[in-house]
Amino acid sequence: MNFFQNIQSFLLIIILLFSFVNCQNIPNPRYQQTSSLIGNRLYVFGGDLSTTDTNNDSAANLTNEVWYLDLSSSFNTAKPPWNKDIGMPIGYIFGASCVSPIDNSVFLVGGRMFIPNTATNNLGSSSVYVFNSNSSVWTTPNIFGFNSSFKMRNQIQPVIDNYGKIYTFGGTNYTGFNKPFVNYNDMSILDTTSMTWSTLALSVNAPPPYLDYTATLLPTGIIVYIGGYITRSSLLYEPVSMYEIQTFNTKDYNWSTKVASGGATIDSRLGHSAVLTQNGDIIIYGGRIWNDTTVPATPYIAKLDTSSWIWSIPNLSQINSPELCFHSAALYGDYMIIAFGNYCIMHI
Ligand SMILES: *[C@@H]1O[C@H](CO)[C@@H](O)[C@H](O)[C@H]1NC(C)=O
Ligand SMILES: *[C@@H]1O[C@H](CO)[C@@H](O)[C@H](O)[C@H]1NC(C)=O
Ligand SMILES: *[C@@H]1O[C@H](CO)[C@@H](O)[C@H](O)[C@H]1NC(C)=O
Ligand SMILES: *[C@@H]1O[C@H](CO)[C@@H](O)[C@H](O)[C@H]1NC(C)=O
Ligand SMILES: *[C@@H]1O[C@H](CO)[C@@H](O)[C@H](O)[C@H]1NC(C)=O
Ligand SMILES: *[C@@H]1O[C@H](CO)[C@@H](O)[C@H](O)[C@H]1NC(C)=O
Ligand SMILES: *[C@@H]1O[C@H](CO)[C@@H](O)[C@H](O)[C@H]1NC(C)=O
Ligand SMILES: *[C@@H]1O[C@H](CO)[C@@H](O)[C@H](O)[C@H]1NC(C)=O
């Protein structure tokens, strides 16, 4: 299929999956990477390359690779023309890349950061890395007032606003089986214009410690947290209902719960993706149920109208889209591009 073939449909999903390995311009399969659109380029940062045991954190093989796809010209989606960029100082999973609206630099804030291509016992030295996509140079900024409890914070999705402020909620410093960890429900703000860090005082309205959600910033300044799971006490986890959606207002720092409705039942999930359309709809894709790594959440695609908070299931132009977890999704024009990920199947 040609990328810019003119297909009249409500939503066209482009799936980029890879069955070839070890060619110079073909990335190995990976999951739990992060991705961002920078201009016309879709960048993919890091990911776990492990194929033997995708659910064993201690057997992860974190890559520092950076790949990008130029979307400004058409291409065959069966053979996407990937380009490899300069690698990151760290191997990276379970975080998110935020692109500065001011100068397009990319901020990796939190995430599991390890020495590349090693198992998970060699931690990276910083918690924030900055990428200048013009020069492909990575730097570790000096951050005024950095909160050291944020070290190794992961299973989070930071978002950046139009003023260059990055908001990160909750997460955990879990890095692998049998290692001590704490789950959090704090909101941290990194102002990238002054490189200052602040951790807000805990709000009574804030959700409990919260992991593996997606976070989507609306033009109104409200961050919408979807899916994932919470911990009310240290070892008691529960999935977050898709019908009680936590939102954080970046204008007054207030949390509130939006009660969503809709005809179909939308399963709670993690490992899903969320993109915001120009109409103010959030489209979620994929993911699995929270307590069984082999069960994909259904439906695998759903749309949330963020003015009415009503869920619906879009009609797809192609019905054979795979049920992915821990993939990347980006909206480019009217196209949702899905890349990498795994199949919610236990490989042991
Ligand atoms: C997970 O992987 C580590 C490192 O390869 C291994 O030592 C451990 O036995 C594995 N755990 C399980 C539950 O398979
Ligand atoms: C990258 O180049 C653009 C265009 O010249 C410029 O506006 C932007 O500030 C540059 N970004 C960085 C991080 O150097
Ligand atoms: C991690 O993946 C790289 C690239 O496929 C491979 O060369 C390396 O041997 C792997 N390392 C481990 C610890 O599995
Ligand atoms: C997580 O935080 C706790 C409390 O500060 C600490 O004991 C533990 O070592 C941290 N874990 C990691 C992987 O940094
Ligand atoms: C740093 O973060 C921890 C955990 O959220 C919080 O308890 C502490 O108050 C924060 N420190 C500062 C100076 O904000
Ligand atoms: C914050 O939101 C709650 C609803 O979650 C509302 O009751 C409260 O009035 C709001 N507070 C402020 C200061 O806006
Ligand atoms: C998973 O959680 C659901 C509730 O969210 C529960 O009904 C179900 O029994 C759990 N399954 C397993 C395998 O623990
Ligand atoms: C999907 O198509 C059916 C049949 O044409 C229609 O009834 C339904 O409203 C459509 N759903 C959406 C979300 O557009």
Side-chain angles (χ1 to χ4, degrees):
M1 181 176 64
N2 192 293
F3 187 55
F4 285 102
Q5 212 173 340
N6 189 13
I7 294 178
Q8 299 294 323
S9 62
F10 170 70
L11 177 70
L12 182 65
I13 303 179
I14 310 230
I15 311 275
L16 306 172
L17 291 172
F18 307 97
S19 46
F20 306 98
V21 288
N22 291 334
C23 296
Q24 203 173 3
N25 284 315
I26 302 176
N28 288 340
R30 66 203 56 211
Y31 49 93
Q32 295 162 355
Q33 70 287 344
T34 177
S35 67
S36 283
L37 269 177
I38 307 175
N40 292 318
R41 289 178 176 182
L42 175 62
Y43 277 84
V44 175
F45 302 100
D48 187 346
L49 303 178
S50 168
T51 51
T52 50
D53 187 351
T54 57
N55 293 301
N56 179 349
D57 290 314
S58 304
N61 184 3
L62 275 55
T63 180
N64 67 333
E65 287 171 1
V66 178
W67 292 86
Y68 69 87
L69 202 51
D70 190 341
L71 304 176
S72 63
S73 48
S74 57
F75 58 82
N76 182 336
T77 55
K79 223 181 152 198
W82 287 103
N83 300 281
K84 196 172 187 179
D85 210 326
I86 306 290
M88 304 179 285
I90 34 95
Y92 189 79
I93 55 168
F94 277 132
S97 40
C98 294
V99 179
S100 164
I102 296 158
D103 67 2
N104 269 358
S105 44
V106 181
F107 290 82
L108 296 181
V109 177
R112 262 180 232 170
M113 297 170 160
F114 295 103
I115 307 298
N117 302 326
T118 63
T120 58
N121 41 21
N122 299 300
L123 305 189
S125 60
S126 181
S127 295
V128 179
Y129 290 86
V130 185
F131 179 60
N132 181 333
S133 59
N134 295 339
S135 57
S136 298
V137 169
W138 285 92
T139 48
T140 49
N142 286 323
I143 298 170
F144 179 72
F146 178 73
N147 187 326
S148 60
S149 80
F150 196 82
K151 180 98 183 111
M152 247 335 125
R153 194 73 67 89
N154 68 95
Q155 294 175 244
I156 48 177
Q157 187 167 7
V159 293
I160 191 164
D161 72 6
N162 289 336
Y163 310 103
K165 283 188 177 154
I166 295 174
Y167 295 82
T168 309
F169 183 67
T172 179
N173 75 349
Y174 177 87
T175 55
F177 188 60
N178 260 350
K179 293 178 191 158
F181 67 95
V182 179
N183 300 324
Y184 293 91
N185 69 336
D186 52 355
M187 178 65 83
S188 291
I189 302 173
L190 172 61
D191 183 339
T192 62
T193 63
S194 57
M195 281 298 174
T196 47
W197 187 275
S198 51
T199 303
L200 300 183
L202 277 188
S203 153
V204 284
N205 291 337
Y210 193 0
L211 317 173
D212 282 342
Y213 52 76
T214 57
T216 308
L217 178 66
L218 304 181
T220 52
I222 288 175
I223 306 173
V224 181
Y225 291 88
I226 296 178
Y229 55 103
I230 53 173
T231 64
R232 291 193 196 276
S233 67
S234 62
L235 287 174
L236 212 54
Y237 292 89
E238 55 185 90
V240 171
S241 166
M242 303 300 268
Y243 296 93
E244 284 167 31
I245 294 172
Q246 302 296 332
T247 65
F248 178 78
N249 190 334
T250 58
K251 304 249 157 75
D252 62 9
Y253 294 170
N254 198 11
W255 284 94
S256 68
T257 304
K258 308 288 182 211
V259 176
S261 58
T265 300
I266 314 290
D267 280 351
S268 295
R269 66 194 64 207
L270 58 90
H272 56 297
S273 58
V275 297
L276 180 67
T277 71
Q278 267 125 16
N279 307 332
D281 295 329
I282 295 173
I283 297 174
I284 62 162
Y285 189 89
R288 61 163 170 83
I289 68 166
W290 74 289
N291 57 356
D292 189 333
T293 56
T294 65
V295 180
T298 58
Y300 66 87
I301 184 162
K303 187 178 79 162
L304 178 66
D305 179 324
T306 60
S307 50
S308 61
W309 302 101
I310 291 175
W311 284 107
S312 59
I313 301 174
N315 289 320
L316 298 185
S317 60
Q318 92 197 61
I319 52 166
N320 58 346
S321 318
E323 293 170 329
L324 291 174
C325 298
F326 300 110
H327 54 282
S328 290
L331 201 67
Y332 184 73
D334 289 334
Y335 295 83
M336 182 163 80
I337 303 173
I338 307 281
F340 301 103
N342 66 20
Y343 289 110
C344 322
I345 293 168
M346 185 96 79
H347 298 279
I348 290 189

